[in-house]
Amino acid sequence: MSVVVLAGGVGAARFLRGLAQIIEPESTTVLVNTGDDAVMHGLNISPDIDTVIYTLGNAIDAQRGWGLSNESWRAMESLQKYTNVRPNGSIAAPDWFNLGDRDLATHFYRTARRSEGADAWQITREIAAAWSVSQQIVPMTNQDVLTVVELAEDCVAGNAGEKISFQEYFVKYKHSVAVRSISFVGIESAKPNALSQIDDADAVVIAPSNPIVSIGPIRALAGVDASLSKIRDRVVAISPIVGGHAIKGPADRMLSELGHESSALGVARMYSSIASTLIIDDVDANLKPAIESLGMKCVVTNTIMSDPKISAALAQSALAALKTK
Ligand code: FO1
């Protein structure tokens, strides 16, 4: 059986940990968002890729959900020396984005390999192998695509209409500023990776990740939505919105700010053209009829992956839902 998972960061990683308990890891291809990628200190950082690899490599810091366990922060501490001397306007020594000492090795490696001309997929293969991850981890494209956030109002991050990078929005301003629009710079010329794996997949799972900034960039790549709608019967999505709220991150506010309903029904409306099935949490059971009226099958179960057993049960439900259609 071949399964493709469309993935963002933490929610997807937890789902994948469950999936690995029920099918051979080698049969899973994970197509990961790279719109969150950033360059800090001249280093190429791919947060969602690293979250997925560190989680599947049993090395993630479980509390934070990103970065490595047993981490130390001496390089970040030393950086403070330079924040007082950098000239106005310089982006040197950014101290708001935390890079642990052990984590730095991954960014050193990725950056060095990029400078040698290796493409993102090949580098990701190498990093996954280093962490003994046997799922195929695939960056959504080899080209640079950057998620950019347009501010809805004057705020600490800038004036209404100004654009900031995703990591500034997410980390520097702790996703506390209102959003007017999201764009994916570079998306028109970017070529999707692993499109043929989607076409040939027995099942495609859209992980419980932010539909706008995690799954959105993958879907925005040329041909991805068309491929998914062709195999819609084999596509199942898991709602990242539970009881109207995001389990982690700003998905709930972002959905409302951008004109969607922050509910599992809102998620269903966004996915109904590409997924035949939506999995929602027990607390949202009352939304099942409305979701089914959109022409989707709706499965109600526990989607809060607080331990690996629940992740495995959720993965089982996702695959079973497609089989019993
Ligand atoms: N998230 C934070 O909230 N604060 C950080 O300082 C931070 C640093 C960081 C470094 C490397 C990395 O791979 C991820 C990091 N993240 C951090 C997580 C990341 O910003 C987000 O979780 C994702 O981009 C959203 O999916």
Side-chain angles (χ1 to χ4, degrees):
M1 164 168 225
S2 67
V3 178
V4 173
V5 179
L6 308 193
V10 182
R14 290 198 177 137
F15 174 79
L16 287 162
R17 198 174 48 178
L19 188 64
Q21 292 173 64
I22 63 162
I23 60 168
E24 288 297 313
E26 290 78 7
S27 59
T28 302
T29 299
V30 190
L31 197 52
V32 188
N33 170 43
T34 54
D36 295 10
D37 285 13
V39 177
M40 304 272 171
H41 320 282
L43 298 173
N44 294 102
I45 300 167
S46 288
D48 285 353
I49 296 261
D50 291 348
T51 295
V52 166
I53 291 177
Y54 291 167
T55 301
L56 294 175
N58 295 315
I60 197 84
D61 181 290
Q63 216 105 61
R64 286 195 306 274
W66 55 268
L68 289 164
S69 58
N70 301 317
E71 190 54 282
S72 59
W73 305 92
R74 302 205 53 192
M76 288 307 295
E77 283 155 28
S78 302
L79 208 60
Q80 294 302 323
K81 240 186 176 13
Y82 297 100
T83 55
N84 293 333
V85 298
R86 73 182 157 210
N88 257 352
S90 166
I91 56 159
D95 55 353
W96 52 269
F97 193 76
N98 296 289
L99 294 171
D101 300 333
R102 298 180 65 218
D103 186 34
L104 275 170
T106 304
H107 315 309
F108 290 156
Y109 185 79
R110 175 178 290 114
T111 307
R113 290 290 289 128
R114 268 181 75 123
S115 71
E116 290 172 354
D119 69 41
W121 191 348
Q122 177 57 28
I123 299 167
T124 303
R125 258 189 220 111
E126 293 162 6
I127 295 174
W131 290 96
S132 305
V133 169
S134 29
Q135 289 84 348
Q136 246 202 96
I137 313 296
V138 185
M140 64 179 197
T141 175
N142 286 341
Q143 283 77 48
D144 291 337
V145 171
L146 288 180
T147 298
V148 166
V149 175
E150 184 189 359
L151 303 173
E153 48 198 49
D154 295 357
C155 62
V156 58
N159 294 329
E162 271 180 41
K163 293 183 174 177
I164 59 174
S165 72
F166 180 79
Q167 292 303 339
E168 285 176 296
Y169 165 76
F170 194 91
V171 176
K172 191 172 186 180
Y173 300 109
K174 302 187 169 45
H175 44 77
S176 63
V177 298
V179 175
R180 178 183 293 166
S181 75
I182 300 285
S183 45
F184 309 122
V185 176
I187 200 84
E188 289 82 11
S189 51
K191 199 177 152 294
N193 282 330
L195 208 50
S196 63
Q197 273 97 323
I198 291 182
D199 297 335
D200 299 341
D202 295 312
V204 174
V205 182
I206 302 177
S209 300
N210 186 318
I212 296 173
V213 290
S214 298
I215 304 301
I218 305 175
R219 291 185 64 183
L221 288 161
V224 172
D225 254 23
S227 282
L228 291 171
S229 31
K230 257 187 237 146
I231 58 148
R232 182 179 178 276
D233 265 9
R234 286 178 269 148
V235 181
V236 52
I238 301 164
S239 174
I241 302 290
V242 172
H245 297 289
I247 293 164
K248 200 173 189 291
D252 43 9
R253 259 176 302 120
M254 204 178 255
L255 283 168
S256 311
E257 286 163 0
L258 297 176
H260 302 277
E261 189 176 300
S262 173
S263 71
L265 178 59
V267 174
R269 289 193 185 113
M270 298 176 82
Y271 288 152
S272 62
S273 64
I274 53 163
S276 59
T277 306
L278 184 70
I279 301 196
I280 65 171
D281 193 75
D282 292 318
V283 304
D284 292 317
N286 61 317
L287 296 174
K288 186 175 153 99
I291 291 169
E292 285 173 342
S293 75
L294 298 172
M296 294 180 97
K297 179 179 171 182
C298 181
V299 173
V300 181
T301 189
N302 180 7
T303 64
I304 313 280
M305 293 178 281
S306 48
D307 74 53
K309 267 196 203 135
I310 300 174
S311 299
L314 182 58
Q316 190 78 61
S317 301
L319 298 187
L322 292 179
K323 278 193 198 125
T324 57
K325 270 184 57 60

